Every structure is written in structure tokens, then in C-alpha cells.
Amino acid sequence: MTVQDKDIKEILFTEEQLHSKIQELGKAITKDYVGKDLLMVSILKGSVMVMADLMRAVDLPLEIDFMNVSSYGSGTETKGSVKILKDLDVDIKGKDLLIVEDILDSGVTLHNLINLLKQREPRSIEICTLFSKPDRRQVEVEAKYLGFEIPDAFIVGYGLDYAEKYRNLPYVGILKEEVYS
Ligand code: IMP
Ligand code: MG
């Protein structure tokens, strides 16, 4: 047992389970994007693991880019605003954008981001998220590619953090309560 493993109460998804789900998603994306101009956009930092594995599971010519955003929150006045911490490097006009996320929670971040990116006139925008917590949704967001639906619990590992730690765990688990306190 490693130093980090000791903080984990329960493993929800093993490395093997994550790998086979990513392969499945990659196959579906490969099938759908034949003949398109695919640009995979990873939303930093949580989706780096998903991105690294998923891009290798897509058997097509494609481009990648990275973006980092923060939402101003879910209050009615701030809805629709998203702060760009790191913008895309490439022009997305006419491209088939696939946003790659780790987890869809309230949906606020992705909802706002999609609205912002649509103004740049890509040909299409779809979302691929490894996890989704449907019970937590505040705004409607449609993810065409979804790995696992999970109940409302805070998970870490495979890119997902608690206070910026645990992103490097190869599996996904739930933290012990004592870690938070
Ligand atoms: P939302 O959908 O706008 O609420 O924000 C989703 C973001 O919240 C994700 O990209 C994660 O960074 C973070 N997040 C939500 N749930 C979890 C979790 O269970 N573990 C770690 N990060 C989470
Ligand atoms: Mg994130």
C-alpha cells in the first residue's frame, strides 16, 4: 500500500475498468468522426488522463488543444459567464470539436463553455465525459459520449483531485472522511 492509497476508503473503478471504458468510447468516436475535421479539446486539469488515453483510442487523424476555464458560479446573475484562464491556441471555425472532460457535475462550467465556443463557429460541438453525476445537475448539458454515471459522491484519481492532490492515482476512488477534516 502506498502513501496515497491509505487515504482511499473505496476503489470505485480500477485501472482495467477505466481502460476498457476508454477503449469503448474511442471506438464510438472513431466511427462517428470518419471524414470530419476532429479537434479534441481537453479541459484542464482534470481531463489530462482521459485525454491522453482517449486520443490513443481514436483511430483517425485528429488535432488536440487545451483550455482552462473557471466558472463564476451558479448564481442567476453570473450564469453564462466563464472566465478563460488559458484559451485555445487554434482557430476552431469549421472544425468538429469534441470537448473532453473528466466529470460532469452541476453542468455550469460546460454549459457556459459551450455557449462561448459556439460564437467561434465550429462546425459541430460534442462532449465526451468519463463521469457524470446526474443528481447534481443545475443546467441541462448533453454529453454524447459518457463513460460512467455515478451517484453524488466526491471521487478522486485518474486526473480528478481533492485540493489539487490525488490526480496521479491510476484508479478512481472515494476519500476517507478524515482526509477532509
Ligand atoms: P461543474 O459541472 O460545472 O459543476 O464542474 C465540474 C468540475 O468540478 C469538474 O471538471 C471537476 O473539476 C470538479 N468536480 C466535480 N465533481 C468532482 C469530484 O467528485 N471529484 C473531483 N472533482 C470534481
Ligand atoms: Mg475539471
Side-chain angles (χ1 to χ4, degrees), residues 43-47 101-102:
I43 309 304
L44 297 169
K45 306 171 195 169
S47 72
E101 256 290 30
D102 47 358

Side-chain angles (χ1 to χ4, degrees), residues 8-59:
I8 302 298
K9 183 164 80 177
E10 187 191 343
I11 295 179
L12 292 184
F13 301 98
T14 63
E15 217 176 327
E16 291 72 28
Q17 286 173 313
L18 295 172
H19 177 81
S20 73
K21 183 58 79 177
I22 295 277
Q23 297 310 306
E24 215 178 277
L25 293 170
K27 283 207 178 85
I29 292 163
T30 303
K31 193 165 145 274
D32 292 351
Y33 282 84
V34 173
K36 299 201 173 166
D37 196 356
L38 176 58
L39 171 65
M40 291 173 66
V41 171
S42 160
I43 309 304
L44 297 169
K45 306 171 195 169
S47 72
V48 286
M49 297 276 205
V50 186
M51 183 68 160
D53 287 340
L54 186 63
M55 63 189 278
R56 282 178 284 184
V58 176
D59 187 17

Side-chain angles (χ1 to χ4, degrees), residues 43-47 68-69 101-103 109 159-161 167:
I43 309 304
L44 297 169
K45 306 171 195 169
S47 72
N68 192 4
V69 295
E101 256 290 30
D102 47 358
I103 189 162
T109 311
L160 290 151
D161 72 303
R167 293 192 197 275

Side-chain angles (χ1 to χ4, degrees), residues 112-179:
N112 293 346
L113 181 64
I114 296 254
N115 286 340
L116 181 141
L117 292 175
K118 273 184 180 162
Q119 294 167 19
R120 301 183 186 178
E121 299 174 26
R123 183 160 54 196
S124 64
I125 305 188
E126 298 293 350
I127 296 169
C128 177
T129 183
L130 184 56
F131 299 106
S132 172
K133 295 182 197 172
D135 298 345
R136 295 262 306 166
R137 210 75 84 244
Q138 289 174 25
V139 286
E140 204 57 49
V141 175
E142 205 212 316
K144 183 164 185 185
Y145 307 97
L146 166 65
F148 304 98
E149 281 198 345
I150 59 167
D152 182 9
F154 196 81
I155 57 171
V156 295
Y158 197 66
L160 290 151
D161 72 303
Y162 169 65
E164 294 297 329
K165 297 289 195 318
Y166 306 103
R167 293 192 197 275
N168 58 329
L169 291 177
Y171 55 82
V172 165
I174 299 178
L175 282 177
K176 289 178 181 164
E177 272 89 32
E178 65 218 53
V179 180

